[in-house]
Amino acid sequence: MAKTDTKGDAARSPRALRKTTSTAASRASRRARSAKTETPYHHGALREALLQAAERVLERDGLAGLTLRAVAREAGVSHAAPTHHFGDLTGLLSELAAVGFRQFNAVMNASCDAATTPLEAALARPKAYIAYAQAHPGMYGIMFRTERLDYSRPSLHEAAEASFAGLTNAIGMMRQEQISGDALTLNQGAAIARAWSLVHGFTMLLLDGRLKDILARLPEGTTAERLLETMLTAPVTGKLPGS
């Protein structure tokens, strides 16, 4: 008489079959839920959605938290999607910086629309510059992280050049002369560098919280914007050494 295969019978028992079926169904359900979390995009929309997701991650988690995987999770797509569209993290950062420069340029171009006097017009761009940086500190930060960017990418190169052209034109208007961005005189270059250094330096000090001590010592209610206005309009006093 053949021996009873108790192990085989147990494996084929109704309880075991139900358990196996339940496990398989559970796995299928998890796969289905995972698939549903991925957001479907049409051809041209995925790239834009990834850049929007990258901006959200950047502003929320900072540059250290901005990875290809983090962007994919934020957009609800596969981990391979950012690599397919941008190549690597440098490519993603470069395209994101291009978006930042385009946003920045639009703000700069619109800044003088409400100005009613020459002085208001002169102060409008510096104020808009700082306002953009305060509203988008993460984006502003990567726009000037040259070591993390690839300026050979056309979108970034064009957006950055447009930003410099806007600065050049603004300085030309203040000096009441036409300035060519391709060939500057020493005085023109000095004027551009001086204006950029002042506003960019002020912005970085403000974002880093380094102006709090100065503001705390000023008359009550003095804002950073008011301090900037005074810096830009106050005459330079005192004499140079040896003069």
Side-chain angles (χ1 to χ4, degrees):
M1 179 180 293
K3 294 182 178 179
T4 303
D5 186 355
T6 56
K7 292 183 179 180
D9 290 344
R12 290 188 292 273
S13 67
R15 180 179 295 178
L17 289 174
R18 284 197 299 271
K19 183 177 181 181
T20 302
T21 302
S22 176
T23 301
S26 177
R27 289 174 179 169
S29 177
R30 285 197 299 269
R31 286 196 298 269
R33 286 197 301 270
S34 176
K36 287 181 180 180
T37 61
E38 293 196 3
T39 305
Y41 293 100
H42 294 292
H43 297 293
L46 178 54
R47 185 179 186 279
E48 181 63 26
L50 287 169
L51 288 172
Q52 292 174 358
E55 184 174 358
R56 291 195 299 272
V57 172
L58 176 65
E59 297 296 354
R60 184 183 66 230
D61 303 329
L63 184 57
L66 182 59
T67 65
L68 296 178
R69 283 182 171 268
V71 171
R73 285 195 302 270
E74 182 73 18
V77 297
S78 70
H79 294 323
T83 302
H84 174 73
H85 284 274
F86 306 109
D88 55 14
L89 185 58
T90 295
L92 174 63
L93 290 176
S94 300
E95 294 301 324
L96 188 59
V99 172
F101 273 113
R102 288 194 291 269
Q103 294 174 350
F104 179 77
N105 295 342
V107 169
M108 293 296 100
N109 292 336
S111 63
C112 296
D113 291 348
T116 57
T117 67
L119 178 59
E120 287 182 356
L123 295 175
R125 288 181 67 90
K127 288 182 179 180
Y129 186 111
I130 292 171
Y132 177 83
Q134 288 181 297
H136 308 279
M139 187 72 92
Y140 180 82
I142 69 162
M143 287 162 56
F144 297 100
R145 290 292 298 272
T146 305
E147 80 282 3
R148 300 295 301 271
L149 306 177
D150 178 8
Y151 275 88
S152 69
R153 298 179 80 97
S155 57
L156 177 57
H157 178 75
E158 291 170 8
E161 282 294 306
S163 180
F164 183 74
L167 173 61
T168 300
N169 291 337
I171 298 301
M173 291 176 62
M174 292 178 63
R175 291 170 59 90
Q176 298 183 338
E177 63 178 309
Q178 186 71 30
I179 298 180
S180 170
D182 296 328
L184 302 172
T185 68
L186 180 58
N187 285 338
Q188 290 171 342
I192 293 170
R194 180 171 57 246
W196 192 5
S197 298
L198 191 155
V199 179
H200 180 70
F202 185 92
T203 300
M204 295 305 298
L205 290 172
L206 182 62
L207 293 179
D208 291 342
R210 303 300 295 273
L211 292 179
K212 292 180 179 179
D213 186 56
I214 293 177
L215 291 171
R217 299 166 189 257
L218 296 177
E220 186 176 355
T222 303
T223 63
E225 182 177 278
R226 178 58 181 152
L227 177 60
L228 175 67
E229 288 182 3
T230 304
M231 288 172 56
L232 295 173
T233 58
V236 179
T237 59
K239 294 184 178 181
L240 295 174
S243 60

